Amino acid sequence: MKIITCYKLVPEEQDISVNGDGSIDTNKAAPKINPFDLNAVEAGVQIKSMVEGSQLTALSVGGKTLDNPKARKDILSRGPDDLTLVVDEQFDALLPHQTARVLASAARKCEFDLILCGDGSGDLFAQQVGMQLGELLSVNTINAVSKIVAATETTLTVERALDDEVEVLEIALPAVISVSADINEPQIPSMKTILAAAKKPVTNLTTEDLEMAALPKLVDAISVVAPKQAERAQVIVEGDDEAQIAAFADHLRKALN
């Protein structure tokens, strides 16, 4: 089975700062693998172990940040056999519909039986890329997969945990699935796998290789800002007699209303 697991680099949360106007400053934030995509990688490793002879490829599109050696070694140390990158400055900060189109073109070049995505990304969390990718490739597509039950060369059996029930679905391959964050606990790479990652092959695809049409501009990203923080009233009620408890309850009612 030819498995592709897609991933994205996002800014490290602890390094992000918020400007006075609410805009987000990521200039000092180091790139890291989107946490939700780590679940997809781990699921890919699990499926690979179920079907003998499977090949697991990590795939990403983006700007020059993807050239980061540490990020490359990080993804390859987590189980993929090889890495395919589409690096171009025009692919930096793509919107979901654009990312899906570039990934679809790259996936056709790589060939695949199964593509795995995280349910969303740590920056936009639009939860659209996997679904749009499957539509563009005209293959079976499903999201919110919470468990991999079984896998063969032609089918994949999965569970989806819904509000009041669990679905068990058998999906004919080829397919695209998006996995939920609770599907597994991504393993921490060992020193051995980190050292071995440096020897794994990396393929770089260009826009010419993809032979894709210009990306459509269906929507415009106007701004990304932090939510406004409500000012704290800093009301302190001291004591525990009935009058003070009543005053405390009154403040709570006002705050909730």
Side-chain angles (χ1 to χ4, degrees), residues 18 56 77 87 102 127 132 139 157 231 237 241 245:
V18 180
L56 180 59
S77 68
V87 182
V102 183
Q127 297 182 287
Q132 292 195 38
V139 298
T157 305
E231 293 186 11
V237 179
D241 61 27
I245 293 173

Side-chain angles (χ1 to χ4, degrees), residues 155-172:
T155 63
L156 185 69
T157 305
V158 302
E159 288 185 2
R160 292 207 308 172
L162 305 180
D163 290 340
D164 53 0
E165 62 185 6
V166 175
E167 288 184 336
V168 181
L169 304 169
E170 183 176 270
I171 308 165

Side-chain angles (χ1 to χ4, degrees), residues 2-249:
K2 176 66 175 175
I3 308 167
I4 294 176
T5 181
C6 302
Y7 76 97
K8 178 182 182 180
L9 294 184
V10 297
E12 177 63 61
E13 292 93 341
Q14 64 183 10
D15 298 331
I16 297 174
S17 59
V18 180
N19 299 319
D21 60 356
S23 59
I24 306 297
D25 184 358
T26 60
N27 290 327
K28 296 181 181 179
K32 71 170 186 178
I33 301 171
N34 170 38
F36 301 99
D37 293 337
L38 293 179
N39 298 111
V41 174
E42 188 70 26
V45 173
Q46 179 187 355
I47 295 169
K48 178 186 173 183
S49 68
M50 293 178 173
V51 183
E52 187 176 354
S54 293
Q55 181 80 6
L56 180 59
T57 297
L59 171 63
S60 189
V61 303
K64 295 295 184 182
T65 306
L66 284 177
D67 286 329
N68 185 297
K70 182 179 178 181
R72 290 188 178 197
K73 188 177 292 186
D74 189 9
I75 190 68
L76 285 170
S77 68
R78 296 176 181 273
D81 300 297
D82 55 76
L83 173 62
T84 297
L85 298 173
V86 185
V87 182
D88 195 302
E89 279 305 286
Q90 67 172 308
F91 298 150
D92 190 32
L94 291 178
L95 292 175
H97 69 281
Q98 297 168 325
T99 299
R101 281 165 170 77
V102 183
L103 286 174
S105 296
R108 294 188 187 100
K109 289 291 181 181
C110 297
E111 300 182 352
F112 67 93
D113 298 299
L114 175 65
I115 299 179
L116 296 159
C117 299
D119 245 356
S121 62
D123 46 10
L124 296 179
F125 201 67
Q127 297 182 287
Q128 297 180 26
V129 171
M131 301 301 288
Q132 292 195 38
L133 176 58
E135 174 67 18
L136 290 166
L137 293 170
S138 299
V139 298
N140 297 323
T141 308
I142 189 172
N143 66 345
V145 172
S146 55
K147 183 178 180 180
I148 306 297
V149 178
T152 70
E153 292 184 353
T154 58
T155 63
L156 185 69
T157 305
V158 302
E159 288 185 2
R160 292 207 308 172
L162 305 180
D163 290 340
D164 53 0
E165 62 185 6
V166 175
E167 288 184 336
V168 181
L169 304 169
E170 183 176 270
I171 308 165
L173 303 181
V176 175
I177 70 169
S178 298
V179 302
S180 63
D182 57 0
I183 190 172
N184 54 44
E185 187 67 36
Q187 296 186 30
I188 298 175
S190 65
M191 183 57 67
K192 181 179 179 181
T193 59
I194 292 173
L195 293 174
K199 300 178 182 179
K200 293 182 178 180
V202 178
T203 300
N204 288 281
L205 297 177
T206 65
T207 51
E208 289 76 17
D209 295 326
L210 299 184
E211 300 175 347
M212 58 183 295
L215 295 176
K217 192 175 181 181
L218 304 179
V219 295
D220 286 317
I222 298 174
S223 65
V224 177
V225 297
K228 292 183 178 180
Q229 300 295 318
E231 293 186 11
R232 295 187 178 184
Q234 296 182 331
V235 175
I236 300 174
V237 179
E238 297 182 355
D240 57 2
D241 61 27
E242 290 186 6
Q244 287 151 342
I245 293 173
F248 177 70

